[in-house]
Amino acid sequence: MSELIITNSGQVTQMEPFIIEKLNTYGAGILDTRHPSFSNEERYRIMLSKYQNDFISDALETGHFILKEDGIKVAIRTLSQNVSVIAGFIFEAYTVRIANNNPNFGYKLFKWSTERKRLTESYYEKYHTVGVGFPKTDANFPGYYNPTLRQFDILFLTMNEKIGRPEPATIVGTTIPAGVQIKAITCNELKDIIHPLIAGQYSKVITYLRHLTGEHSYEVCMKEIKKLHRSGEITEDMKLKLEDSIAYPEMFGLDQRSVDDYYSFIKAWYFLRAKEDAFILKAIGIQSQEMKNGSSFLTSL
């Protein structure tokens, strides 16, 4: 790592050993890829160091990617799928992983989904977040597995000991299952989020990404809802319901910049993969195989 440090003199400053120590301890993932000094290749290498483990885990979790000798590959019908489709699958697994591993995020997500004004931690801790279309759900909770035409991407399940089977969390005061649809889109909010909510196809939606302009998809949704209300296409009650049914990452304590960075890595991986870049595929494939085998790994690009 020492070759990364540039000084204006032959003397090593007190800061430089500290930087080297942190890089050796935590890896290049602690660097800010937004810094203008990095080239695109260097940014990708930093993102790979930061996100490779989570990306491999998320990709394999969804059932839409397969592990081959030359790397993780998309297993859905065509390679021409829009990157938002690919990102959507990854963010489904991301949401499940964070919800189960980050109590603050999971608690807030559960409370919003179930529309509870009050929620005790002991009640929330009974539930486990699952991806409705994941192979693991098919194996462990087959009654809740639905890879297509689903209202929810994720559900919250608990074991009902009295009847000996799992059951979903419900919207408070009802028997309606509480779940969330995940969106990783940067356009078409009216068609892909708002109209399905109006039609009752979705009940709750988290939209994760920003447009190229920097405007968040959530903000676009709010503008579209206001337009529909002003034109008389929806009532005041429907307007309020729609506004309460759409969320963005920071509502649940996630840093939007971290979400943006993860999406940048997904896009970089996807477009490099689409070009059949054997160098990148080989690197990811090696890491995937070692993760599958339970080995610790350090693969350098």
Side-chain angles (χ1 to χ4, degrees), residues 70-89:
D70 56 350
I72 288 179
K73 297 203 172 187
V74 181
I76 52 181
R77 182 165 298 178
T78 74
L79 296 180
S80 61
Q81 290 279 9
N82 187 288
V83 68
S84 66
V85 176
I86 303 302
F89 294 135

Side-chain angles (χ1 to χ4, degrees), residues 1 45 48-49 52 279-280 282-284 286-287 290 297-301:
M1 295 290 184
R45 293 175 65 173
L48 186 64
S49 175
Q52 59 188 352
F279 185 62
I280 298 298
K282 181 180 178 183
I284 294 178
I286 290 171
Q287 293 152 2
E290 289 172 335
F297 58 82
L298 285 171
T299 305
S300 298
L301 291 183

Side-chain angles (χ1 to χ4, degrees), residues 4-25:
L4 295 176
I5 306 303
I6 301 172
T7 64
N8 294 323
S9 68
Q11 300 298 319
V12 177
T13 68
Q14 290 183 347
M15 181 59 70
E16 287 167 341
F18 169 78
I19 294 172
I20 294 171
E21 177 189 354
K22 292 300 180 184
L23 286 170
N24 283 328
T25 302

Side-chain angles (χ1 to χ4, degrees), residues 79-216:
L79 296 180
S80 61
Q81 290 279 9
N82 187 288
V83 68
S84 66
V85 176
I86 303 302
F89 294 135
I90 298 294
F91 273 102
E92 286 178 30
Y94 170 91
T95 305
V96 171
R97 172 169 56 82
I98 299 297
N100 287 322
N101 295 336
N102 182 328
N104 181 57
F105 173 80
Y107 177 91
K108 290 180 178 178
L109 180 65
F110 184 92
K111 187 176 181 181
W112 174 69
S113 303
T114 58
E115 300 181 9
R116 294 175 178 274
K117 293 183 178 178
R118 297 178 182 176
L119 174 65
T120 64
E121 290 188 7
S122 60
Y123 184 85
Y124 162 68
E125 288 171 356
K126 296 177 182 178
Y127 287 85
H128 185 74
T129 308
V130 302
V132 173
F134 295 178
K136 186 181 291 185
T137 302
D138 188 25
N140 297 332
F141 312 103
Y144 295 98
Y145 175 68
N146 186 354
T148 60
L149 300 176
R150 55 184 188 256
Q151 182 182 12
F152 310 117
D153 287 326
I154 66 172
L155 284 172
F156 311 94
L157 299 180
T158 188
M159 180 58 69
N160 186 325
E161 301 295 345
K162 292 182 180 179
I163 60 177
R165 64 172 183 265
E167 61 183 14
T170 58
I171 296 173
V172 65
T174 77
T175 58
I176 302 171
V180 181
Q181 184 77 204
I182 306 300
K183 292 295 180 182
I185 62 175
T186 57
C187 61
N188 298 326
E189 281 83 0
L190 191 63
K191 177 176 73 74
D192 292 339
I193 296 177
I194 297 171
H195 283 164
L197 282 168
I198 292 173
Q201 296 172 3
Y202 304 156
S203 60
K204 300 285 185 183
V205 176
I206 300 177
T207 185
Y208 270 97
L209 304 179
R210 303 181 202 258
H211 286 221
L212 292 176
T213 61
E215 187 174 34
H216 200 281

Side-chain angles (χ1 to χ4, degrees), residues 252-287:
F252 310 110
L254 295 183
D255 184 348
Q256 182 64 45
R257 293 205 339 162
S258 295
V259 172
D260 295 342
D261 287 348
Y262 195 36
Y263 179 56
S264 293
F265 175 74
I266 293 168
K267 286 194 298 182
W269 168 81
Y270 178 70
F271 289 120
L272 286 169
R273 185 213 162 282
K275 295 176 182 177
E276 297 297 334
D277 188 316
F279 185 62
I280 298 298
L281 291 176
K282 181 180 178 183
I284 294 178
I286 290 171
Q287 293 152 2

